Amino acid sequence: MSQEKIAGIRGMNDMLPAEAPLWEHVEQVARSMLRAYGYQQIRTPIVENTQLFKRGIGEVTDIVEKEMYSFEDRLNGEQLTLRPEGTAAAVRSAIEHNLLYDGPKRLWYIGPMFRHERPQRGRYHQFYQLGVEALGFAGPDADAEIILMCHRLFTDLGLIGLKLEINSLGQAEERAAHRKDLIAYLEQHTDKLDEDARRRLHTNPLRVLDTKNLALQDLVSAAPRLADYLGEESRAHFEGLQSLLKANNIPYKINHRLVRGLDYYNLTVFEWVTDKLGAQGTVAGGGRYDPLIAQIGGKSAPACGLAMGLERLIELLKEENLLPEEEGCDVYMVHQGEAARAQALILAERLRDAGLNVIFHSTADGGSGSFKSQMKKADASGAAYAVIIGEDEIAASAAQLKSLRGGEGAEGQQRSVPADQLVEAVIDAFVSASE
Ligand code: ATP
Ligand code: MG
C-alpha cells in the first residue's frame, strides 16, 4: 500500500530536468565571463552565526527584521541562520582566512539563499544568487567593471532590454545630514505613512525611500535627495563612475530613490531592472560597501559587489524565448539477450572512454523489450546513432551502427562493424557528418 505523499516546502522550488539545460547554460556562460574578468570562486556554508547577518546586513532591515530563517542548534544552543545573502559570508571567510594579505581579491559565488518573504512570482523562500565581491578596491573603476561584467553576461545570453539605474549613497556623515532633513520631511507627513515607514522614520528613514508601497510613491519622490548632500569626494567618485560608463557606452539612469535593501552600502549603488517580469523586476543589484569588512571584524578595506537573482534571470530568458539548443546524447545502446547485454555494457564504456555520451537501454521489468520498442526509445532520446547488438552480432563479434538523424540520405542508414572497431566507426561517422 502506498503511503501519503510528502510535499516540498512552500516557496522553495525543484529544478526539474526539463529546466536543467537552461540553468546549466546560464551557469556556463557566467563562469566563462567570470574567468574573463579574473574572478575566483568561493564556497561558504549555507548556515552561519545569526550575529554575522545582524551585524553585516543591519538590524533595521527587511531581511534581519522579518525574513531570516533562524534557529537554535540543539547541540550547543548556538543561534544560527540560513544565509539570506552571500556578501556577509564571503567577507567573513575572507577575513577568517586572511585572503587579502597579498592585496585585493576578486571573488564570486553561486548558491541558494533563504528569505522568509511572501512567495510570489520571482520571490521565493529559497532562491539562487550569482554574486561577485571585489574586495580591497577603492576606485570607481572597480564599480564600473562589475557593471560592465553584468552587462556582458546579459549580452552573452542574448538579453538586451535590461536597464541600469545608479545612485550614490555618499558617506556616513553625508547621510546623517540628509537623514535629519528627511526625518523632518517625513514627520510633516506621518498621517500618510504606512506602519513600516512610521516605524522606520526614526530608526532607518533612508529605507522609507525604498518602500514597495505604491501609495507612498509620490511622497517619497518629493523627499529631500541624498545627491544634494554629497561632499566633493563622494561626488567625484560618482562622476568618475559615470564617465567610465559613458566611455564604455553603457546607458544608465540616475534613480535618486535607489537605496537598496541592505544597510552596508556606501557611495555607488545600482540595479539592473526589466519591465518584463511584473513587480519583481530587479534582476541584479549591487554597489559599494566600504564599511562592511571592518564592521564584521576585519582590517578596514574598501569593497564592492553584485548579486543576481537567477530565477528572475531565467524567467526573463524564457519570456524572451532565449533558450539554449537542445542537446541529445550521442549513442543509444540497443541489445537483446544476456550475452548481448553484457557486450553492449562493455562497448558503452569504451564509447564513453572516447568522450561520447551514451544511454544504455534498460527497462522497468529488467528485460530489454523488442527491438522495435527499443528503437522508439532510441529515437526519442535525441541520440545521433543507435548501436544494436543481438544474437547475430554476438555470433559475428560485430555491432550494427544505425544513423538516427544527420545529413540527407543518412537517416536510417545501417551497417555492421566489427565490435573492436566500433569506437573508431562511431567517431568517423560523427566526423563525416560534420563535414
Ligand atoms: P527586492 O527589492 O526584489 O526584495 P532585494 O533588494 O531584497 O530585492 P538583494 O538582496 O539585493 O535584493 O538581492 C539581489 C537579487 O536577488 C535581487 O535583485 C533579486 O533578483 C534576487 N532576489 C532577492 N530576493 C529574492 C527572493 N526572495 N526570491 C527570488 N529572488 C530574489
Ligand atoms: Mg528583498
Side-chain angles (χ1 to χ4, degrees), residues 49-366:
N49 251 300
T50 302
Q51 202 50 34
L52 173 67
F53 302 117
K54 286 196 173 164
R55 232 201 282 164
I57 298 171
E59 297 265 4
V60 195
T61 56
D62 280 346
I63 292 183
V64 172
E65 279 182 329
K66 50 190 186 197
E67 296 175 0
M68 294 207 299
Y69 279 85
S70 299
F71 57 97
E72 188 182 296
D73 186 323
R74 268 190 288 174
L75 281 182
N76 56 12
E78 273 184 317
Q79 296 300 317
L80 305 178
T81 293
L82 298 184
R83 63 181 183 195
E85 55 95 56
T87 302
V91 168
R92 192 263 313 138
S93 179
I95 296 169
E96 196 166 329
H97 303 285
N98 201 18
L99 294 188
L100 302 188
Y101 80 101
D102 62 348
K105 281 277 172 313
R106 291 177 167 90
L107 306 175
W108 70 271
Y109 60 82
I110 190 169
M113 307 296 160
F114 302 83
R115 294 186 196 176
H116 212 288
E117 11 185 12
R118 195 170 68 76
Q120 51 195 296
R121 184 186 184 197
R123 199 175 283 292
Y124 309 104
H125 287 165
Q126 175 181 309
F127 60 99
Y128 276 77
Q129 279 187 345
L130 172 73
V132 307
E133 314 296 351
L135 305 180
F137 301 93
D141 53 310
D143 315 33
E145 187 181 87
I146 288 177
I147 290 173
L148 288 172
M149 190 161 79
C150 217
H151 181 258
R152 184 182 295 275
L153 176 65
F154 296 145
T155 313
D156 287 353
L157 290 169
L159 288 168
I160 45 170
L162 282 147
K163 300 224 159 39
L164 173 65
E165 297 187 354
I166 62 173
N167 194 17
S168 174
L169 298 182
Q171 301 295 8
E173 324 78 73
E174 293 152 10
R175 280 198 300 280
H178 167 256
R179 179 190 157 109
K180 218 166 107 246
D181 293 357
L182 181 61
I183 291 178
Y185 169 83
L186 292 173
E187 274 175 339
Q188 287 165 16
H189 302 279
T190 30
D191 51 322
K192 296 196 199 103
L193 298 180
D194 61 15
E195 193 195 322
D196 260 356
R198 228 170 278 154
R199 190 164 38 83
R200 287 191 170 147
L201 202 165
H202 294 283
T203 49
N204 197 348
L206 198 55
R207 299 298 321 286
V208 178
L209 300 180
D210 188 32
T211 177
K212 302 235 157 56
N213 185 347
L214 293 177
L216 295 182
Q217 301 305 307
D218 286 347
L219 188 73
V220 292
S221 293
R225 289 178 166 182
L226 195 40
D228 298 329
Y229 295 76
L230 298 186
E232 209 171 308
E233 269 187 42
S234 296
R235 272 209 309 273
H237 193 280
F238 196 35
E239 276 157 21
L241 170 66
Q242 291 181 58
S243 71
L244 290 169
L245 294 177
K246 282 182 194 140
N248 284 282
N249 301 313
I250 306 287
Y252 62 88
K253 191 183 103 186
I254 297 179
N255 174 357
H256 292 285
R257 293 184 34 213
L258 183 59
V259 299
R260 310 270 312 123
L262 317 173
D263 260 5
Y264 48 59
Y265 289 103
N266 72 325
L267 296 173
T268 311
V269 284
F270 64 87
E271 285 187 354
W272 286 96
V273 294
T274 173
D275 53 15
K276 303 230 165 68
L277 295 178
Q280 269 58 252
T282 308
V283 175
R288 186 159 277 286
Y289 50 91
D290 298 333
L292 181 66
I293 298 180
Q295 208 166 302
I296 51 190
K299 183 164 159 263
S300 179
C304 54
L306 155 103
M308 190 176 291
L310 292 184
E311 284 80 2
R312 294 185 194 177
L313 182 67
I314 286 194
E315 192 65 18
L316 188 57
L317 288 169
K318 284 197 216 156
E319 196 71 34
E320 308 261 283
N321 214 13
L322 293 164
L323 307 174
E325 263 181 49
E326 273 192 47
E327 276 183 50
C329 70
D330 299 320
V331 177
Y332 194 95
M333 295 299 291
V334 171
H335 51 87
Q336 202 157 54
E338 278 305 310
R341 180 204 301 257
Q343 169 75 331
L345 202 60
I346 290 170
L347 291 177
E349 283 300 292
R350 284 205 200 133
L351 290 165
R352 293 184 188 115
D353 288 343
L356 293 157
N357 300 326
V358 184
I359 293 181
F360 184 83
H361 180 79
S362 300
T363 63
D365 65 6

